[in-house]
Amino acid sequence: MITLGAVFRPQFPPERLRDVARAADESGLDQLWLWEDCFLESGIAAASAALAWTERLRVGIGLMPVPFRNAALTAMEIATIERLFPGRFLPGVGHGVQDWMQQVGARVESPVTLLREHLLAMRALLAGETVTTQGRYVNLDKVALDWPPVSKPAVFAGATGPRSIKLCGEAADGTILTASTSVEGVREARRLIDEGRATAGRTDKHEVVVYLLTATGPDAAERLNADPDAPGAGVAGDAGTVAEAVQRYAEAGADTVVLQPTADEPDPEGFVRFVAESVRPRI
């Protein structure tokens, strides 16, 4: 069965998160996803707060840019949140938007190599291993977490290009696809992910999460067309129309569809209730 989520966009001020997270939790939404986009809001801080304010909601970060981060620190943060809120945290990483990485002096020559090294080291640390590695970017010397997760969480990776998507299959536990991904793009991503999994000899579960730009209400079409995130993509309409679009992505291979409001969504609390109470029953 398809899992349904919604995005709390970092264009909304951080102080709005509490009410949105509680609305999502109370309405029965499966997942709420956050972004660590530059230079808006911290993913870890926001996710920790959202989890503390709610009882059952699963909270994801899609994604944290690894050029910003040390692999050991990222593993420590994920392990801490997982122990505080077992089974409710969905961490995701990626190589980041290169222009932003340039702005903060963190751009690297090979983002794909960095992401691979970061994923492999971080997932080993979260599995309770002692890690020594000398890579191009990630260097650890007998590092182990004193408080590893009781159960190792799935680590997602976000990607757009073919090499990065294939890497997700090889080195991550799940893949996050942006709202610019078409239905056919999900099918192609599944193919590339499976190639990467075969290369790594992996047979474990691999979840595909895709964002779907969504607008509802009387001005839905206008807001969708004006949103710069996914020009020409997304869905505008009532719950039935949105549910049909979700089903198409599910049939193409998505395990989770996360409805992404437009940047000018006037009612983020109402949006998550719409997803949970109106769209979800139609899936």
Side-chain angles (χ1 to χ4, degrees), residues 6-280:
V7 176
F8 176 84
R9 293 182 65 141
Q11 286 84 3
F12 304 138
E15 56 268 27
R16 293 293 298 271
L17 176 59
R18 181 176 181 173
D19 288 344
V20 174
R22 286 185 167 176
D25 198 43
E26 292 164 2
S27 63
L29 187 69
D30 297 319
Q31 299 177 2
L32 183 69
W33 284 79
L34 312 172
W35 299 348
E36 195 169 72
D37 278 2
C38 299
F39 300 96
L40 294 163
E41 294 166 13
S42 159
I44 290 292
S48 298
L51 287 162
W53 287 325
T54 56
E55 298 294 330
R56 42 148 299 278
L57 183 69
R58 302 186 78 193
V59 176
I61 304 177
L63 47 78
M64 297 175 279
V66 297
F68 260 174
R69 299 177 159 275
N70 178 279
L73 174 61
T74 308
M76 287 169 59
E77 291 177 320
I78 293 172
T80 300
I81 295 176
E82 173 60 29
R83 291 185 72 110
L84 288 170
F85 307 101
R88 294 178 55 206
F89 184 40
L90 304 165
V93 296
H95 50 56
V97 176
Q98 297 310 295
D99 287 346
W100 290 341
M101 299 302 100
Q102 181 71 35
Q103 281 184 270
V104 297
R107 186 167 183 164
V108 299
E109 186 177 349
S110 179
V112 175
T113 299
L114 170 59
L115 182 57
R116 174 183 283 107
E117 292 180 359
H118 196 107
L119 279 166
L120 293 175
M122 187 173 63
R123 290 180 63 248
L125 289 168
L126 291 170
E129 299 176 19
T130 299
V131 180
T132 296
T133 182
Q134 297 295 317
R136 185 173 176 180
Y137 300 110
V138 176
N139 296 282
L140 302 176
D141 181 16
K142 299 177 183 177
V143 175
L145 300 179
D146 286 299
W147 294 104
V150 176
S151 297
K152 179 184 171 186
V155 176
F156 293 79
T160 55
R163 286 182 62 213
S164 297
I165 293 174
K166 191 178 296 185
L167 171 62
C168 292
E170 175 187 342
D173 303 305
T175 300
I176 303 167
L177 302 173
T178 70
S180 61
T181 309
S182 65
V183 170
E184 186 53 44
V186 173
R187 293 192 182 94
E188 176 63 10
R190 269 290 185 190
R191 186 186 68 79
L192 292 167
I193 290 165
D194 288 344
E195 283 187 16
R197 285 165 56 76
T199 298
R202 297 187 63 173
T203 58
D204 51 341
K205 179 183 177 182
H206 190 101
E207 183 175 347
V208 173
V209 176
V210 62
Y211 295 128
L212 175 60
L213 187 63
T214 304
T216 190
D219 59 348
E222 291 80 3
R223 287 192 293 108
L224 185 75
N225 292 333
D227 193 284
D229 265 15
V235 58
D238 61 12
T241 301
V242 175
E244 289 174 3
V246 169
Q247 192 61 44
R248 289 193 292 271
Y249 278 87
E251 291 168 357
D255 300 295
T256 297
V257 177
V258 181
L259 303 189
Q260 172 183 317
T262 58
D264 61 353
E265 167 58 51
D267 182 10
E269 294 88 354
F271 183 83
V272 297
R273 291 192 183 95
F274 166 75
V275 178
E277 297 173 355
S278 299
V279 178
R280 191 169 180 261

